[in-house]
């Protein structure tokens, strides 16, 4: 009961420290998994080394003793050292909030949790923030979790959003096959989003797209005529929501359907989140995907 | 009694009265736009505007204006001036609970002095009708006083308190405060939490909170940039060479401060003599393992200390331990007459691994056995050999009945006929001929009693695979009434059974240990299994080199009682690290010694010699060395989770106008009044706006 209430983004917004937040969410999430088969993933046999006094005798390889007449100890290590990079859209439109937290804050929490979680899986973690261009880039490393969290903590909303140009640069910059998690509100034409994501996919990366929207952007619950101002361009429009809401919802729904169809049919994973959704849902989606990737690699 | 404001400058906000007037007079077209992430899907639609320039609803106007006045007055923080008593009685008497942290981290620097001062100031602020309880807490919470208005009692109780060696746990303290507050008949309640807000003491998953309406005043006494170097653990790795037992000490040293430390000396001291010094440098937050050289284990119990650096929390700069000789376990393996030269190879090699405990192994043929071979043995293993007959058999019987262990391995060379008839009943089972399971790949073990110490080690996943060994032949066994079955094969047959003979334990294996009837001996689990069997049969207990503060020793189970002639009423002396020795009269009830102080405790017979005494080392719990503080806001948020409990930070507790204003809490009533007015205004205006179009349509 208390753990799940901590996963509510509105409650998490009261925690200033990003690492604490990530730890709260991820540890709570992992505790919730109990005996999930996922937890056994990361251990794999690595090598033998000679037995030394003080070693746990349970780890002595008795079969090897039978063959060599010497005691050897089995060493284990994690097998999942892969690169995990979050590509975080910090354009001005992400700074929108109709509820307790903005999309950018939600994306920050999501980034912190995914990075922390991946680091627990012994992945190398990195971060790219962008608006119309790359703003900051933390290359993936086993030691960069703190840098990633610090960078995420310092994020300020940027300017106009662009997708293709910055992601093309990212695709050129990341040399090694990686898991790339794009976190954005994707206010671009679906074909443009596909082109941008394909730059990453075509380089052999596994691409996960976390589409973050505010519930008001999906439901359009406004009442009363008013001017609406575009956060990025500053353009203003007079709007009568009562008349326009239905059509808006239909357009938004078609946009989301097309995005999902295009991205999934091109081999990418697409997840839609509104900022009222608990963060463990995002972690679960990611973990499911991560498990599939691991299995694919074994095959 | 006068009426004044703590922050009169906020009264300038009364100019905001103009706002509702302006709103009423100039209800113009909205100039402020609604920010929206993207207008990608929004079509342009023009809309019409209306102008209203006269006041149409006087009631609404008045309500809005009054709400603004109340808001402004609330922010100006009004108070009724007068003496503290009258101010207190205005809002009602208080039930005050002072939660005072006395865990060991409060010994750091001047934390305890600051905490005691804060508690005294809290008592000084009590009104004549107020009542207070002093609660001291570490891992447990204890009400030092009953609820009282008598400051002398409270101050006296506070003077008698000092820092303990325990760890911080906030949960019990909050629970106790909650109980006191819930029981009170006072209209108001306030809890003072005086602590260093140690993060390790706070478990966010614990569902503790204060009742509604309780004011939580937190007093942070921690130092912002605390430095602390600690030895958090030490372990002894024993080995045996040339008949001498040696030990190598490894110690875990942690820099739990915010700054790096350079070239600090770490010294190993045994019985007051410095044995070895090493230099260590640590970054902030770094933990290193220091490995000291081997030393010969002294013959008697020896006090050891690992000492690192010096800082404001000195007790964790030292780690104390007791090292005493761990006598090897003497094992005799008895082989059958016709066994090969390597008959016990796997058994011998498995028992030769490891030094804690060390095993001294001798191997004899059953035919060449003498009573001298059996004398002084802790464990005898009949490795597919029959029970010896004649005087050897009688000696083995008495050995086991006096407390030695017996492991009978019934392999291919142990037909029932080979055992003397008069000793068959010595086993907890009756055994028969072999059962052949070689067709179909052999039998497996399907049941293991993981509650038994022999298999308890393997309970956790990946800690020993007993499903891999294949058993191609094993002996049929039937248990007697007193036997306990520890393992069964997949057809339900007994694989391992245990029974008691006098003070000794007998265990029987239904198959051999020589990689012939089964492949158990070449499976990874064989080695730890054999060790567990041997340790269990000799009732081996690893010498415990140290304890933590808060641990309890059962004196009935201690070496002094086990080795001596003790009965209820025996007097024992207890020397503690602090204070003089005390005498304890041993009884069934009075048998536990709680280790509350850091250092060495010594226990012995009153009037007995020094050799009879035993020493235990007690160390600080490592959680208490980590001085990282939790954000008090975070903790206060969780403690006041029930909603309207109020949180305030306290720097000084005096009856200043601020305190007076806070205790009276008039602003709260003004704020509630303003909010109620605005709610009413909203309801009325909504009703009016709905009524108007209906009227227009009609």
């Amino acid at each position: 009961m208390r753990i799940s209430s901590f996963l509510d983004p509105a409650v998490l917004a009261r925690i200033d420290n990003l690492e604490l937040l990530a730890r709260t969410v991820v540890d709570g999430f992992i505790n919730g998994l109990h005996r999930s088969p996922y937890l056994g993933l990361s251990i794999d046999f690595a090598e033998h080394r000679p037995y030394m006094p003080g070693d746990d005798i349970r780890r002595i390889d008795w079969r090897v003793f039978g063959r060599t007449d010497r005691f050897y100890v089995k060493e284990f290590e994690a097998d999942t050292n892969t690169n995990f990079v979050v590509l975080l859209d910090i354009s001005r439109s992400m700074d929108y909030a109709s509820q307790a937290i903005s999309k950018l804050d939600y994306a920050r929490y999501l980034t912190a949790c995914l990075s922390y979680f991946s680091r627990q899986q012994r992945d190398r973690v990195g971060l790219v923030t962008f608006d119309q261009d790359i703003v900051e880039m933390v290359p993936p490393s086993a030691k960069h979790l703190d840098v990633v969290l610090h960078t995420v903590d310092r994020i300020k909303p940027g300017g106009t959003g662009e997708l293709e140009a910055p992601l093309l640069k990212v695709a050129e910059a990341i040399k090694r096959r990686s898991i790339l998690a794009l976190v954005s509100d994707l206010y671009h034409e679906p074909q443009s989003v596909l082109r941008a994501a394909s730059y990453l996919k075509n380089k052999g990366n596994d691409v996960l797209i976390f589409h973050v929207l505010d519930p008001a952007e999906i439901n359009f619950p406004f009442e009363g005529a008013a001017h609406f101002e575009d956060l990025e361009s500053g353009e203003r429009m007079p709007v009568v929501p009562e008349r326009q809401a239905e059509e808006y919802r239909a357009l938004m729904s078609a946009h989301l359907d097309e995005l999902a169809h295009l991205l999934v049919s091109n081999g990418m994973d697409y997840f839609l989140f509104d900022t009222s959704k608990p963060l463990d849902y995002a972690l679960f989606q990611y973990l499911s995907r991560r498990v599939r990737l691991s299995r694919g690699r074994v095959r | 009694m006068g009426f004044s404001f703590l922050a009169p400058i906020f009264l300038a906000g009364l100019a905001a009265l103009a706002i509702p007037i302006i709103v009423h007079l100039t209800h113009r077209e909205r100039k402020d736009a609604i920010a929206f992430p993207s207008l990608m899907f929004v079509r342009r639609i023009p809309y019409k505007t209306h102008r209203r320039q006269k006041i149409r609803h006087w009631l609404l106007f008045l309500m809005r204006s009054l709400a603004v006045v109340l808001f402004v007055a609330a922010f100006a923080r009004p108070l009724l001036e007068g003496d503290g008593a009258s101010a207190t009685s205005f809002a009602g008497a208080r039930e005050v609970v002072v939660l005072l942290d006395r865990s060991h981290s409060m010994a750091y620097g001047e934390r305890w002095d600051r905490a005691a001062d804060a508690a005294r100031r809290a008592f000084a602020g009590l009104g004549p009708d107020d009542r207070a309880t002093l609660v001291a807490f570490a891992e447990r919470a204890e009400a030092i006083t009953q609820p009282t208005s008598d400051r002398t009692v409270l101050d006296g109780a506070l003077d008698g308190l000092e820092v303990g060696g325990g760890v911080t746990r906030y949960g019990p303290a909050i629970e106790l405060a909650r109980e006191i507050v819930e029981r009170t008949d006072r209209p108001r309640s306030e809890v003072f939490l005086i602590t260093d807000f140690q993060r390790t003491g706070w478990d966010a998953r614990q569902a503790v909170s204060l009742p509604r309406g309780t004011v939580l005043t937190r007093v942070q006494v921690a130092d912002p940039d605390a430095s602390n170097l600690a030895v958090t653990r030490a372990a002894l790795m024993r080995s045996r060479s040339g008949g001498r037992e040696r030990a190598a000490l490894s110690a875990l040293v942690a820099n739990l401060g915010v700054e790096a430390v350079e070239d600090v000396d770490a010294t190993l001291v045994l019985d007051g003599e410095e044995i070895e010094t090493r230099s260590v440098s640590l970054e902030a937050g770094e933990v290193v393992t220091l490995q000291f050289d081997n030393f010969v284990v002294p013959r008697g119990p020896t006090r050891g200390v690992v000492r690192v650096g010096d800082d404001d929390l000195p007790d964790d700069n030292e780690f104390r331990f007791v090292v005493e000789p761990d006598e090897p376990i003497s094992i005799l393996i008895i082989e059958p007459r016709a066994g090969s030269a390597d008959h016990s190879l796997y058994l011998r090699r498995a028992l030769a691994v490891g030094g804690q405990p060390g095993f001294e192994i001798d191997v004899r043929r059953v035919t060449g056995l003498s009573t001298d071979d059996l004398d002084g043995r802790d464990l005898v293993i009949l490795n597919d050999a029959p029970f010896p007959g004649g005087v050897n058999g009688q000696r083995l019987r008495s050995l086991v009945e006096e407390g030695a262990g017996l492991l009978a391995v019934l392999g291919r060379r142990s037909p029932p006929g080979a055992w003397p008839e008069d000793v068959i009943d010595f086993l907890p089972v009756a055994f028969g001929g072999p059962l052949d399971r070689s067709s179909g790949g052999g039998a497996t073990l399907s049941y293991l009693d993981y509650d038994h110490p022999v298999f308890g080690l393997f309970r956790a996943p990946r800690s020993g695979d007993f499903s891999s060994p294949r058993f191609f032949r094993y002996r049929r066994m039937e248990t007697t009434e007193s036997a306990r079955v520890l393992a069964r094969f997949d057809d339900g047959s007994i694989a391992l059974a245990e029974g008691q003979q006098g003070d000794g334990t007998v265990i029987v294996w239904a198959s051999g240990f020589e990689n012939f009837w089964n492949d158990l001996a070449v499976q990874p689990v064989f080695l730890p299994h054999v060790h567990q069997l041997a340790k269990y049969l000799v009732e081996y207990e690893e010498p415990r080199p140290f304890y933590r503060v808060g641990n309890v020793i059962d004196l009935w189970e201690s070496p002094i009682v086990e080795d001596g002639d003790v009965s209820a009423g025996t007097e024992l002396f207890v020397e503690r690290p602090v204070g003089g020795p005390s005498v304890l009269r041993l009884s069934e009830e009075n048998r536990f010694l709680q280790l509350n102080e850091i250092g060495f405790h010594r226990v012995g017979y009153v009037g007995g010699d020094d050799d009879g005494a035993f020493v235990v080392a007690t160390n600080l719990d490592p959680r208490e060395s980590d001085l990282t503080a939790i954000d008090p806001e975070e903790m206060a948020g969780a403690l006041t989770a029930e909603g309207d409990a109020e949180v305030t930070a306290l720097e000084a507790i005096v009856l200043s106008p601020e305190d007076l204003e806070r205790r009276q809490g008039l602003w709260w009533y003004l704020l509630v009044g303003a909010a109620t007015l605005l709610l009413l205004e909203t309801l009325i205006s909504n009703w009016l706006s709905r009524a108007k179009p209906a009227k227009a349509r009609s």
Side-chain angles (χ1 to χ4, degrees):
Chain A
M1 178 63 189
R2 288 194 73 75
I3 295 265
S4 57
S5 69
F6 260 113
L7 300 177
D8 180 350
V11 177
L12 289 170
R14 284 159 48 186
I15 304 177
D16 286 339
N17 184 320
L18 264 184
E19 186 180 351
L20 171 70
L21 181 145
R23 204 168 58 213
T24 305
V25 174
V26 173
D27 290 353
F29 170 69
I30 288 176
N31 286 338
L33 282 179
H34 297 297
R35 294 184 180 178
S36 162
Y38 303 135
L39 293 182
L41 263 183
S42 63
I43 301 299
D44 202 4
F45 169 72
E47 59 180 359
H48 283 97
R49 67 164 173 76
Y51 168 81
M52 293 173 68
D55 283 334
D56 184 351
I57 59 169
R58 282 177 290 173
R59 289 170 57 199
I60 290 181
D61 192 330
W62 196 241
R63 285 179 200 268
V64 174
F65 166 71
R67 291 198 295 271
T68 65
D69 203 26
R70 292 177 184 202
F71 296 117
Y72 284 94
V73 173
K74 277 182 167 181
E75 292 268 286
F76 296 86
E77 70 172 21
D79 72 336
T80 56
N81 298 119
T82 188
N83 285 353
F84 175 77
V85 184
V86 178
L87 315 177
L88 179 56
D89 178 0
I90 59 164
S91 60
R92 177 66 65 181
S93 64
M94 291 287 284
D95 193 29
Y96 176 72
S98 71
Q99 297 183 341
I101 64 166
S102 68
K103 289 189 287 181
L104 188 58
D105 282 338
Y106 190 87
R108 287 169 58 226
Y109 303 160
L110 186 58
T111 304
C113 293
L114 290 173
S115 302
Y116 181 83
F117 186 77
S118 296
R119 189 59 209 122
Q120 286 210 326
Q121 298 285 310
R122 298 173 187 256
D123 293 343
R124 290 177 284 271
V125 295
L127 174 73
V128 176
T129 60
F130 65 93
D131 44 22
Q132 68 268 35
D133 200 354
I134 291 177
V135 177
E136 282 198 75
M137 186 162 187
V138 180
S141 163
K143 298 176 179 172
H144 278 178
L145 177 63
D146 286 346
V147 186
V148 167
L149 294 180
H150 184 61
T151 308
V152 172
D153 205 25
R154 285 188 294 114
I155 285 174
K156 295 274 185 287
T160 311
E162 182 55 62
L163 211 53
E164 290 193 46
L167 292 199
L168 181 57
K169 285 187 182 174
V170 172
E172 287 165 354
I174 294 180
K175 303 295 183 195
R176 185 173 161 169
R177 278 189 62 178
S178 304
I179 298 174
L180 304 179
L182 171 64
V183 183
S184 168
D185 56 7
L186 300 180
Y187 271 115
H188 305 276
E189 291 304 326
Q191 287 296 343
S192 170
V193 175
L194 176 63
R195 271 196 304 279
S198 296
Y199 295 147
L200 308 171
K201 179 74 181 170
N202 294 343
K203 288 268 187 175
N205 299 301
D206 291 302
V207 180
L208 289 77
I209 295 168
F210 293 91
H211 190 179
V212 179
L213 289 175
D214 189 280
E217 292 174 87
I218 300 172
N219 303 324
F220 208 67
F222 302 98
E223 289 179 355
H227 273 94
F228 275 45
E229 180 178 324
D230 189 306
L231 270 178
E232 292 191 355
S233 66
E235 177 192 358
R236 288 187 175 202
M237 285 184 186
V239 173
V240 181
E242 288 84 351
R243 287 190 198 168
Q244 222 175 333
E246 200 172 322
E247 196 170 347
Y248 174 91
R249 289 182 203 122
L251 284 168
M252 175 55 91
S253 174
H255 176 71
L256 297 178
D257 289 346
E258 191 176 355
L259 273 176
H261 172 72
L262 280 175
L263 294 170
V264 172
S265 61
N266 281 280
M268 287 166 263
D269 285 273
Y270 170 80
F271 311 109
L272 173 64
F273 297 98
D274 73 56
T275 55
S276 62
K277 253 183 195 158
L279 281 164
D280 59 340
Y281 178 68
L283 284 179
F284 182 76
Q285 297 287 358
Y286 167 65
L287 182 57
S288 307
R289 176 60 184 149
R290 189 77 183 77
V291 169
R292 291 207 301 279
L293 291 179
S294 302
R295 286 178 184 156
R297 208 169 289 133
V298 171
R299 272 185 236 121
Chain B
M1 184 183 295
F3 191 77
S4 67
F5 291 94
L6 208 59
I9 195 162
F10 279 97
L11 293 176
L14 285 175
L17 270 177
I19 294 171
I21 299 172
I22 293 169
V23 167
H24 270 268
L25 292 180
T26 62
H27 201 151
R28 294 170 188 276
E29 179 184 328
R30 284 165 65 176
K31 287 261 187 338
D32 54 325
I34 296 176
F36 201 65
S38 170
L39 300 180
M40 193 171 165
F41 306 117
V42 180
R43 289 189 309 156
R44 283 174 174 273
I45 295 176
Y47 75 111
K48 294 176 182 175
T49 62
H50 305 275
R51 296 176 76 85
R52 299 173 199 162
Q53 292 187 328
K54 60 178 183 178
I55 294 175
R56 304 169 87 173
H57 301 295
W58 279 100
L59 178 63
L60 293 182
F61 168 69
L62 287 173
M63 290 173 83
R64 286 171 189 168
S65 301
L66 187 56
V68 170
V69 170
L70 292 180
F71 265 126
V72 168
F75 275 92
R77 298 172 68 187
L79 73 153
L80 286 169
E81 287 177 327
D83 60 320
S86 61
T88 300
S89 59
F90 172 80
R94 291 178 305 154
E95 183 72 54
V96 174
V97 182
V98 176
L99 300 178
L100 182 59
D101 182 358
R102 63 163 164 182
S103 64
H104 195 76
S105 62
M106 295 290 284
Y108 185 92
E110 296 174 348
R111 287 183 186 190
W112 178 250
D113 294 338
R114 289 199 286 268
D117 284 347
R120 274 190 200 94
R121 290 200 302 274
F123 297 146
L126 293 175
D129 297 330
D130 290 347
R131 205 166 57 175
T133 308
L134 175 62
V135 172
F137 72 94
E139 70 269 38
R140 286 185 296 276
E142 182 187 0
I144 306 298
T145 66
Q146 292 297 312
T148 177
S149 302
D150 189 343
R151 275 193 53 195
T152 317
V153 172
L154 293 164
D155 286 338
L158 180 62
D159 291 341
L161 280 180
E162 54 188 25
V163 177
V167 296
T168 312
R169 280 179 64 217
Y170 291 104
I174 300 298
E175 276 298 312
L176 184 52
R178 183 187 178 92
E179 279 176 29
I180 295 170
V181 166
E182 282 178 341
R183 278 202 309 261
T184 187
D185 54 358
R186 301 294 200 269
R188 294 190 304 141
S189 48
E190 184 165 359
V191 173
F192 290 84
L193 179 56
I194 304 171
T195 176
D196 54 3
F197 286 93
Q198 216 176 349
R199 177 173 289 283
T200 52
W202 174 242
D203 182 357
R205 291 166 299 184
Q206 239 179 343
V208 290
S209 60
L210 293 170
R212 285 179 182 279
T214 308
V215 175
L216 172 65
T217 302
R218 49 187 169 70
V219 183
Q220 165 67 286
V221 297
D223 313 73
D225 297 320
S227 60
N228 189 29
L229 209 55
V231 188
T232 57
R233 193 173 180 80
L236 287 166
M237 297 294 175
R238 293 169 189 264
S239 58
R240 198 170 284 278
S241 60
R244 303 294 298 271
E245 189 183 12
R246 305 179 72 84
L249 185 97
S250 52
L252 220 55
V253 180
N255 178 8
L256 298 160
V258 294
E259 289 183 359
V261 293
E262 295 280 339
D263 299 327
V264 178
D265 281 349
T267 307
L268 169 63
V269 181
L270 290 179
D271 263 352
E273 185 182 345
E274 290 191 4
I275 303 296
E276 187 182 352
T277 297
R278 286 174 177 263
S279 182
V280 60
S281 298
L282 294 122
E283 296 295 325
E286 189 180 359
V287 180
V288 297
T289 303
L290 281 183
Q291 188 75 49
F292 290 94
D293 289 339
N294 273 326
F295 60 87
V296 175
V297 177
R299 297 202 182 281
T302 304
R303 300 177 188 212
V305 177
V306 180
R307 186 179 300 137
V308 176
D310 186 22
D311 53 45
D312 283 345
L313 194 64
D315 277 327
D316 65 359
N317 292 83
E318 293 188 346
F319 193 93
R320 302 143 199 89
F321 59 94
V322 175
V323 56
E324 49 191 323
D326 189 18
E327 293 298 327
I329 294 170
S330 175
I331 300 178
L332 176 67
I333 300 175
I334 301 177
E335 294 184 337
R337 183 171 55 86
S340 66
D342 287 337
H343 182 78
S344 302
L345 173 70
Y346 288 102
L347 198 53
R348 278 192 286 114
R349 300 306 287 269
L351 291 171
V353 179
Q356 196 159 351
F359 296 107
E360 272 184 2
I361 308 155
D362 291 306
V363 182
R364 299 281 185 276
R365 296 276 176 184
V366 67
T367 46
L369 196 66
S370 71
T371 51
D372 291 345
D373 294 328
L374 292 165
D375 285 342
R377 298 295 179 178
D378 300 308
L379 171 64
V380 176
I381 301 176
L382 295 172
N383 189 18
D384 211 4
F387 201 94
V391 290
N392 290 331
Q394 288 169 5
R395 181 72 193 98
L396 179 54
R397 262 177 179 270
S398 59
L399 191 70
V400 174
E401 285 166 354
E402 287 163 10
L406 175 66
L407 174 63
V409 182
L410 304 179
R412 57 178 168 145
R413 299 180 197 280
S414 299
W419 278 60
E421 282 189 12
D422 58 335
V423 295
I424 289 289
D425 63 347
F426 200 70
L427 298 183
V429 292
F431 65 97
L435 196 65
D436 192 342
R437 295 287 305 276
S438 53
S439 60
T444 57
L445 289 168
S446 63
Y447 163 76
L448 299 173
D449 184 353
Y450 286 114
D451 292 331
H452 193 278
V454 165
F455 291 114
L457 180 70
F458 309 104
R459 179 195 296 271
R462 292 189 295 278
S463 60
D465 180 12
F466 275 94
S467 63
S468 296
R470 290 290 179 272
F471 295 83
F472 307 105
R473 284 189 171 192
Y474 48 83
R475 295 202 172 273
R476 299 170 198 276
M477 297 204 301
E478 288 178 11
T479 53
T480 58
E481 280 184 9
S482 59
R484 176 177 176 180
V485 175
L486 308 183
R488 289 183 186 274
F489 295 109
D490 53 9
D491 63 350
S493 304
I494 298 166
L496 193 69
E498 172 197 19
Q500 285 295 126
Q501 286 295 345
D503 292 336
T505 307
V506 179
I507 287 184
V508 184
W509 243 115
S511 196
F513 275 173
E514 54 174 333
N515 194 22
F516 189 76
W517 272 15
N518 58 63
D519 63 357
L520 173 64
V522 293
Q523 295 293 334
V525 79
F526 178 73
L527 172 65
H529 177 52
V530 167
H531 275 245
Q532 286 301 103
L533 276 172
K535 284 197 276 189
Y536 173 70
L537 282 165
V538 302
E539 298 178 21
Y540 173 75
E541 277 187 38
E542 204 171 305
R544 188 164 174 177
F546 64 87
Y547 290 78
R548 299 286 185 187
V549 171
N551 287 165
V552 172
I553 294 178
D554 183 352
L555 292 170
W556 273 124
E557 305 289 332
S558 65
I560 191 170
V561 172
E562 285 182 350
D563 299 342
D565 183 15
V566 173
S567 57
T570 302
E571 286 191 333
L572 301 177
F573 70 82
V574 180
E575 284 178 8
R576 296 178 183 274
V578 181
S582 57
V583 174
L584 184 150
R585 189 181 291 275
L586 199 60
S587 67
E588 192 61 37
E589 294 78 28
N590 199 17
R591 56 190 284 189
F592 297 106
L593 173 64
Q594 176 139 21
L595 305 171
N596 290 326
E597 296 100 12
I598 297 163
F600 291 97
H601 293 67
R602 186 163 164 270
V603 182
Y605 293 117
V606 173
D609 56 11
D610 277 357
D611 292 344
F614 75 96
V615 180
V616 293
T618 315
N619 292 291
L620 185 65
D621 191 301
R623 286 173 294 177
E624 204 56 18
S625 298
D626 184 355
L627 301 175
T628 313
I630 189 174
D631 181 355
E633 292 291 342
E634 183 186 332
M635 192 162 130
L639 292 181
T640 55
E642 287 193 7
D644 59 356
E646 181 192 342
V647 181
T648 54
L650 192 71
E651 295 302 332
I653 303 168
V654 290
L655 281 178
S656 62
E658 286 83 1
D659 287 332
L660 219 51
E661 186 272 336
R662 186 165 55 77
R663 281 170 169 72
Q664 292 173 1
L666 294 180
W667 64 272
W668 169 248
Y669 300 102
L670 296 177
L671 220 53
V672 170
T676 311
L677 271 175
L678 286 178
L679 183 69
L680 273 174
E681 188 271 343
T682 306
L683 291 172
I684 294 172
S685 61
N686 279 345
W687 176 75
L688 285 173
S689 61
R690 274 198 300 272
K692 198 177 70 175
K695 194 175 174 184
R697 277 197 300 275
S698 66

